[in-house]
Amino acid sequence: MLRRTIAAIGIAAVLAVTGCASAAPERRDTGIAMFQWTWDAIAAECPTLGEAGVAWVLTSPPQEHVDGASVGTGSDGSEWWWSYQPVSYRVESRLGTRDELAAMTAACDEAGVDVYADAVINHMAGVGSGTGWAGTPFEHYRYPSTGGAAVYDRADFHDCDRTPDDDIDAYREPFVIQHCELEDLADLATESEHVRATIGAYLDDLLSLGVDGFRIDAAKHIDPDDVAAIVAALPEGTPVISEVIRGAGEPVQPEQYTAFSTVWEFGWAERVGAFVHDGSARALADLSPASYGLLEEQARTFIVNHDTERNDATLSYRDGAELSAATAVMLASDDGMPTLYSGYAFSDRDQGPQLEPDGSVSDASCTGEEHPDVVAGDGWADRAWVCQHRWPGTLGLVAWRSRVVDAPLTAVEAHTRDGMLGAAVSYARGSTGLAVVNVSEHRLVLAVPTALPDGMYCDAARPGCVRIGVEDGEAGIALEPWQAVAIDRFTRP
């Protein structure tokens, strides 16, 4: 369901900014997870993303979820995870209405950006009773029909009968992982034809509203055969990403889901972040998907997502310039299809985004006026929109990647200076492009080998046309701490 892979207006805008002498071929494969962004805010951002060569955006869950203030747990309903507790499959949430979602997908389509929805189909809500955001009353294991929404009763849920509360108590057996409850969330019997049909109707409804693809939330907790059956019922070619966190020694692994979907490699994100933090350029130069057991064709890479930034498993916005450098490594590498992340600041892992008086989420703002110095990585007020995808250089690197990604990666090399502190890693794509990332807090001046023809080039990671010279097969590059530089044969002054 990829409706548009190249937007002519986006190509023209990128060429105008970089001062290209000739039109470049373009293939888009970079996405952005826009965590807790409203439909209106995504719609407003899509023209900028399309111009930069972003292929797709991932929304937070669009279905009706628990109104946290209605369940009597002392919650004020502001926590982010209420979005992941479905009450019905009505497309009404605190992120926007059904009509607003349809308007957003149309706006993004016009900009050449596809929309993937976060599909929560492993479970329903995890509280005893309450009311949904759109007014649907519910009880645990009973979710009555409202306005044509799903009907589930006790028979539609697993009863694993392994622990007193039916919760997952250990990750030793596939049965426990995929039939017991994840923190009391009512676990759907996805082997049931009725459950599969109900989920399928929901996904088809989202497709009818212009959604192009899906992230299957908590796919690790659904039997691969069940996910495969649900995916098989979608229109052929619908992009699907299964969320399967790799755990050492665990029986459920990402490879079990790659026959019918792509998967993110969490181990890659953890290692890249650690290597950048430690300035380990040599380790970065030796990265490959095979190092983490993942089939390369089905790999998707990322540096941070909404879970890992809350459990300190990867770098986060608080790491400032280190996160920018790691993002540049991801965009320059050839280890999988990259996913950026854009969220908000928090001091408590449960903290949700800024809300309006009616409880709906406030539209994200990426003007930069209210944001601190991203290089420092601190000073963020709780709930402020961090807009990591707008940090200096990031969208320029996305545009650079779209121009060079089809050129083979011919060399990945670590660079250190004898007798000096500092290290960098370079990515050469033959005579098509070159990227260099400083993974240290020291300024570096390097002569980097390249097959690009001699002459001057514009740095794609900086606005305007900051010139980089190539002479006798070497690019002369000065790098500030954590800075990235990227040039290609289409960015000649």
Side-chain angles (χ1 to χ4, degrees), residues 31-37 45 49 58 60 304-306 309 339-344 364 366 385-391:
I32 302 179
M34 308 190 78
F35 184 61
Q36 292 291 297
W37 279 56
E45 190 72 358
L49 304 182
L58 172 65
S60 290
V304 58
N305 68 22
H306 71 272
E309 73 171 350
T339 306
L340 305 177
Y341 174 77
S342 193
Y344 59 88
C366 289
W385 293 102
V386 179
C387 299
Q388 294 94 319
H389 70 287
R390 289 279 203 115
W391 286 9

Side-chain angles (χ1 to χ4, degrees), residues 4 51 90 121 146 175 191 227 310 319 420 427 452 461:
R4 184 178 301 176
E51 290 176 1
R90 295 176 65 183
I121 59 174
T146 303
F175 179 88
E191 70 276 13
V227 181
R310 285 170 170 77
D319 295 292
M420 298 179 62
Y427 300 83
L452 283 165

Side-chain angles (χ1 to χ4, degrees), residues 192-216:
S192 158
E193 290 300 324
H194 169 65
V195 171
R196 288 181 181 178
T198 305
I199 291 170
Y202 167 54
L203 300 182
D204 284 343
D205 186 38
L206 292 176
L207 292 173
S208 77
L209 294 174
V211 168
D212 298 282
F214 302 101
R215 169 193 184 264
I216 306 299

